[in-house]
Amino acid sequence: VASAHRQTGTCQASLGNLAQAEEELRLALSTYERIGYLTNIANVHNDLGVILRWLGNHTGSEAHFEQALQGWEKIGNIGMAALTINNIAVGHHYRGEYAAALDLYEDGLGRAKKAGLDRAKAFILAGIGDVHRDQGTLAEALSAYEEGLQAARQSRDASLICYLLDAIGNTHRLHGDNALAADFIRQAYEDAQGRNSTFEVGLYQISRGVLSYSQGNVRQAEECLLQA
C-alpha cells in the first residue's frame, strides 16, 4: 500500500499535480512509519522535501530533508546522506545564504569522496560551482565545475555531464572568453540532441542564445531563444 502511494505521488509530481503528490507521499510516509521501514521513511522525506520546495514551502522542505538526513545517518547510507546534504545546501543557495550553502556542500563532498561516490561528488561540485558563479568568484566556479565534470564522466551520468559542460561554457562567457564558451555549450547541446532530450536541448538553446547576444549577434540570439 505504501509503495503504491509513493508511486502515485511520483506520477502526480511528474504531471505537475503537486498538491496531490504531497497528499499521496504523506500517506506513504505514515504507512512506512507505522511499519518501521527506515530506508523508505528517509526516501519519502526526501521526496516531500523536493515537492514542498517546488510548492514554495522552503521551511517545510528543509524540515523533511533534515528528517531524511537523520534517517540516512541512522542507517549508515553515506551516499544518500551526502545527496541529502546537497539538497539542504541548495535551499540555502536559493535564499542567497552562500556561506551556509558552501559549508554544507563541503560537508557533503567530504562524505561522497570518503565513500568513493562519483555521481554524488559530481552533483555537489556542480552546486559549489553554481554558488561561486553567483558570487562572481569565477575561477573557483570553474575549478569546481571541472572537477565535477571528471566525476560525472566517471559515473557516466549523461545529463549531469551536459549540465557541467554548459555550466563551464557559461562561466567562460562571464569571464569574457566567448570562444571557449561556445565550444563547451556546443558539446552540451549536441549531446542532448543525440539523446533526444527535448528539455535539455531547450536549456542549452538558451545558453546559445545568451552567448550569441553577448557576441553581438542579435538575430542568431533571437532564433536560439525562440527555438528553446
Side-chain angles (χ1 to χ4, degrees), residues 157-170 181-182 184-195 197-212 221 224-225 227-228:
D157 187 317
S159 292
L160 191 49
I161 289 168
C162 280
Y163 178 87
L164 286 157
L165 287 168
D166 182 69
I168 291 169
N170 278 300
F184 280 100
I185 292 169
R186 176 188 54 76
Q187 290 180 59
Y189 175 74
E190 290 178 355
D191 186 87
Q193 272 192 320
R195 291 183 288 107
S197 178
T198 305
F199 175 72
E200 289 178 83
V201 168
L203 287 179
Y204 305 139
Q205 279 284 49
I206 293 172
S207 293
R208 295 176 76 210
V210 172
L211 177 61
S212 295
C224 289
L225 294 171
Q227 289 172 16

Side-chain angles (χ1 to χ4, degrees), residues 12-13 16-25 51 55:
Q12 292 287 3
N17 301 324
L18 300 183
Q20 294 93 323
E22 181 187 359
E23 181 180 350
E24 291 292 338
L25 290 169
I51 295 298
L55 285 167

Side-chain angles (χ1 to χ4, degrees), residues 64-76:
H64 279 290
F65 286 136
E66 292 285 358
Q67 287 290 317
L69 178 58
Q70 291 177 25
W72 297 126
E73 289 179 333
K74 185 174 182 179
I75 295 165

